[in-house]
Amino acid sequence: MVQTTIEAIRDDLERVLYLDLDEFKLEVEAAQVLSRYIGLRLRSEFQPIYDTSTSEGLLGYEALLRPSTGIEAVSPDFAFGWADNQDKLVKLDRVARTLHMLNYLELPEERGQLFLNVHPKLLVSVNTHGKVFEHILHLHSVPTTQVVLEIMENAVEADRALAEAVDNYRDRGFKIAIDNFGSRHYNLDRLWHLAPHYVKFDAGLIREAERGGKIRRVLPKLIEVVQALGAQPVIEGIENEIQLDIALDAGGKLLQGFYLGRPAPAAAWHQVKSSRRENPLMPGAPHHFGSFSVSAQYGM
């Protein structure tokens, strides 16, 4: 199915995204789309974001780029920095989004929303990004309202430029998430003006809350403030049962972390889904099922 999809959109990839399949070497391996570009091997993995307020229990998946040299893995930051040095940042971003979208289609049918990270430099410098990506989504009947763009609020200094970029995406129907909230500082006034759909709490907050002290007492208030601003908070970085209990006790509804599910290729989540039908966060359910199942299967 994936190979057929690539061939079907070859012309559109070249015409709309300016992606030459020969240059980007899109290929299929083990039911996933890969790319070889600027000397790197690129693939997608997906981490679930759970919703404890629904019986389905799943909000969606965050797509994560997994680059490697072919010998060893490198970080996404390294890959984008390497592309930037070669003046190929825009092309890498476009092929990464295309990889994520094509592989997202291979997730279980009730896949929920697709969360995508946006490079801060491209957020404010490429006004046509939303329009270009929107076209590829529509080719596969994926509405823009099903895609959430994650933005690191503190990575963009210019308020006006950030607001214009966010408005550009929102006008096209994309949902907006502010990422790494609370990592260094947080500007509630700026958050108010950006009006995101989601605010993802930095993983350091739940780790600090586990140690006790002020953060554990403040966490419920932070959740309330974000909700009062009209956004849904997502507690990231949940790595053990204690952190899960803290997040739930604080009123967290949307949860993400290794304890609930490690990032894995799309095919892995079919196996997890077939083995577990209930909400993994409902009473009596094994909270760490997703993490253990995928880890065992893929050697994580």
Side-chain angles (χ1 to χ4, degrees):
M1 174 181 175
V2 181
Q3 185 64 54
T4 303
T5 300
I6 291 176
E7 295 303 324
I9 66 171
R10 174 182 289 272
D11 291 342
D12 286 287
L13 288 171
E14 294 180 353
R15 177 172 54 84
V16 180
L17 289 183
Y18 306 107
L19 298 183
D20 184 342
L21 292 193
D22 293 330
E23 179 185 5
F24 289 90
K25 295 181 173 61
L26 289 177
E27 56 190 57
V28 177
E29 180 181 300
Q32 63 177 318
V33 183
L34 310 174
S35 174
R36 299 182 188 276
Y37 183 56
I38 58 172
L40 298 175
R41 181 177 185 268
L42 309 171
R43 62 186 184 87
S44 301
E45 286 189 346
F46 298 90
Q47 185 174 36
I49 302 173
Y50 289 110
D51 184 350
T52 66
S53 66
T54 66
S55 58
E56 293 81 7
L58 182 71
L59 176 67
Y61 291 87
E62 178 179 355
L64 300 164
L65 187 65
R66 292 297 189 242
S68 71
T69 62
I71 299 175
E72 61 181 355
V74 297
S75 70
D77 286 343
F78 174 89
F80 280 102
W82 179 247
D84 196 14
N85 289 337
Q86 301 179 57
D87 198 27
K88 294 182 177 180
L89 186 60
V90 170
K91 283 192 173 183
L92 177 60
D93 182 77
R94 286 178 176 174
V95 75
R97 290 196 195 191
T98 302
L99 280 178
H100 292 330
M101 191 276 296
L102 293 175
N103 287 311
Y104 166 76
L105 296 174
E106 297 302 310
L107 285 164
E109 187 174 349
E110 298 84 11
R111 58 183 69 96
Q113 298 179 40
L114 172 62
F115 284 70
L116 293 173
N117 293 283
V118 178
H119 193 284
K121 188 171 182 178
L122 296 179
L123 175 69
V124 298
S125 64
V126 186
N127 292 329
T128 60
H129 244 35
K131 184 177 181 179
V132 167
F133 186 56
E134 179 184 5
H135 183 83
I136 291 297
L137 290 171
H138 286 171
L139 285 174
H140 292 83
S141 301
V142 177
T144 53
T145 53
Q146 202 166 322
V147 178
V148 183
L149 301 176
E150 296 190 20
I151 298 165
M152 287 192 292
E153 176 261 347
N154 59 11
V156 180
E157 296 297 331
D159 284 358
R160 183 175 178 179
L162 177 62
E164 287 178 353
V166 168
D167 287 344
N168 177 280
Y169 281 114
R170 186 184 284 109
D171 289 345
R172 301 187 190 285
F174 293 99
K175 294 182 178 178
I176 303 297
I178 298 300
D179 198 11
N180 289 1
F181 178 73
S183 58
R184 297 176 184 172
H185 69 279
Y186 43 90
N187 186 328
L188 292 178
D189 183 62
R190 200 184 207 194
L191 205 62
W192 171 267
H193 289 295
L194 292 177
H197 299 84
Y198 302 98
V199 174
K200 301 188 78 175
F201 285 23
D202 184 74
L205 288 178
I206 195 67
R207 289 196 297 268
E208 191 64 29
E210 185 181 9
R211 300 186 186 102
K214 294 181 180 179
I215 293 297
R216 185 177 296 194
R217 297 194 298 272
V218 168
L219 188 58
K221 298 298 182 184
L222 284 177
I223 290 174
E224 290 178 8
V225 167
V226 168
Q227 291 172 333
L229 292 174
Q232 297 186 64
V234 181
I235 310 299
E236 289 190 288
I238 295 174
E239 297 183 348
N240 58 52
E241 189 168 6
I242 294 174
Q243 293 177 359
L244 174 61
D245 289 340
I246 292 171
L248 293 172
D249 290 343
K253 304 291 186 185
L254 306 180
L255 309 172
Q256 181 179 2
F258 281 9
Y259 186 64
L260 305 175
R262 289 179 177 270
W269 295 110
H270 284 274
Q271 298 175 31
V272 171
K273 177 177 170 52
S274 66
S275 302
R276 180 190 58 206
R277 297 296 180 184
E278 74 279 7
N279 181 337
L281 299 174
M282 294 294 282
H287 301 314
H288 51 274
F289 184 97
S291 176
F292 280 14
S293 295
V294 176
S295 297
Q297 181 73 20
Y298 289 89
M300 298 176 184

